[in-house]
Amino acid sequence: MTRTDPVSAPAASPRIAVIGLGAMSRSLARALPRGAEGLRIGAALVRPGSGAEVEAAAAAAGLELFRDLADLLAWAPDLVVECAGHGAVRDLAPGLLEAGVPVVVVSIGALGDADLRGRLEAAAAGPGGGRLTVASGAIGGLDILRTGGRAGLSRVVYRGVKPPAAWKGTPAEDAVDLDALTEPTVFFEGDAAEASARFPKNANVTAAVALAGIGFTGTRVSLIADPTAAGNRHEVEGEGAFGTFRVALSNVPLPDNPKTSWLAALSVEEAVVRHFQSVSY
Ligand SMILES: NC(=O)c1ccc[n+]([C@@H]2O[C@H](COP(=O)([O-])OP(=O)(O)OC[C@H]3O[C@@H](n4cnc5c(N)ncnc54)[C@H](O)[C@@H]3O)[C@@H](O)[C@H]2O)c1
């Protein structure tokens, strides 16, 4: 007699693809199979002009490689994880959602564009639309903003502290002499809308805080160059009917890309695992 008990039948492994094959995707492809969940990345969508280096990285990670969204859709992914950049969210996420594919986004700063946010929301809410999830990225405390926000938040502050060299090539150079600083110096104070627009490199964490809390115009942002800082620090403070909170993070960079926090890569891993869990704690 053939045993057909569905409980003991091995479940088909979900088909998970990444957009982009940079530091974060490679970290995810390496780390995911080491978890107890048995998940693995199966494919990557890369830029049309990507060459031999990307092909070698895909082969090393055992990934199918696509250069076109239609080919990725034909592969029938169960989940697509964006680890590529703001342009990839803008150009690829709406089509995936419209096709019913769930998408995890880590380039959250793209959602600072209200028009794009509207397009994504419409695509996800449309007939057969996929679910859009935003990974927490390099920041924390978003759960408190979301839950505390149910009863109203009166104040949300994000403070970003980096060594002066990390602010080079940004408008911070117009505000202070980064090379001459001897003490922590605030060079920008404003709302999250202005901060995201003027400091796009910081836009991912700023947008994550704004979207989880009281939006882009309500969220206060201070950016600080600190010559004594060893790495990047993020602080989030919130106040509301629920009480107050403060979260401070000192992030370790991802070995393959010093501009990306390891925590951001881990947040993508967690979002993928959570997506397929039947019970989440
Ligand atoms: N939420 C956060 O806190 C947070 C933190 C760090 C990084 N990020 C985001 O994660 C992204 C990935 O980080 P990373 O360290 O892997 O960067 P990376 O530069 O190492 O890799 C990004 C890769 O994506 C590719 N890419 C860009 N646009 C693409 C497109 N339209 N289609 C296909 N591939 C595309 C690039 O060629 C590159 O290979 C960053 O661009 C950033 O937006 C978010």
Side-chain angles (χ1 to χ4, degrees):
M1 199 170 107
T2 312
R3 188 184 164 95
T4 54
D5 178 354
V7 173
S8 60
S13 197
R15 295 165 78 79
I16 309 171
V18 286
I19 303 176
L21 200 40
M24 203 183 276
S25 288
R26 291 198 302 267
S27 167
L28 182 66
R30 278 194 304 269
L32 207 51
R34 291 201 288 265
E37 299 83 6
L39 298 171
R40 60 176 292 275
I41 304 296
L45 176 63
V46 297
R47 287 183 198 271
S50 304
E53 196 192 327
V54 166
E55 280 168 16
L63 306 183
E64 287 200 46
L65 199 59
F66 301 114
R67 290 181 170 81
D68 187 77
L69 179 60
D71 293 335
L72 174 62
L73 286 172
W75 186 73
D78 295 307
L79 178 68
V80 171
V81 187
E82 174 278 320
C83 300
H86 297 182
V89 177
R90 186 190 59 231
D91 298 339
L92 301 167
L96 285 160
L97 295 169
E98 276 162 16
V101 179
V103 178
V104 169
V105 159
V106 74
S107 299
I108 310 159
L111 306 183
D113 175 346
D115 286 347
L116 176 59
R117 217 161 55 237
R119 278 174 61 209
L120 293 168
E121 285 168 6
R131 186 165 197 276
L132 177 70
T133 307
V134 173
S136 53
I139 196 78
L142 305 181
D143 55 340
I144 310 175
L145 289 173
R146 282 191 288 260
T147 51
R150 304 293 308 172
L153 295 164
S154 49
R155 191 178 73 98
V156 177
V157 178
Y158 164 74
R159 219 169 277 119
V161 184
K162 296 181 184 179
W167 293 112
K168 291 210 168 161
T170 78
E173 288 184 310
D174 303 329
V176 288
D177 181 354
L178 289 169
D179 290 324
L181 294 182
T182 54
E183 58 185 27
T185 305
V186 179
F187 61 82
F188 172 84
E189 280 189 311
D191 67 20
E194 188 187 352
S196 297
R198 291 187 58 204
F199 297 90
K201 286 184 195 162
N202 234 53
N204 288 318
V205 281
T206 313
V209 172
L211 289 167
I214 49 176
F216 284 85
T217 50
T219 305
R220 306 305 302 164
V221 175
S222 296
L223 301 177
I224 297 147
D226 180 356
T228 65
N232 296 353
R233 289 206 316 274
H234 304 284
E235 293 173 15
V236 187
E237 282 176 21
E239 206 173 305
F242 76 97
T244 63
F245 84 97
R246 179 172 174 271
V247 169
L249 296 107
S250 294
N251 285 347
V252 170
L254 199 57
D256 286 358
N257 184 356
K259 289 183 185 157
T260 290
S261 298
W262 191 7
L263 189 68
L266 294 172
S267 81
V268 174
E269 192 180 328
E270 195 273 341
V272 171
V273 169
R274 185 169 277 260
H275 179 84
F276 291 105
Q277 273 171 341
S278 40
V279 178
S280 297
Y281 295 105

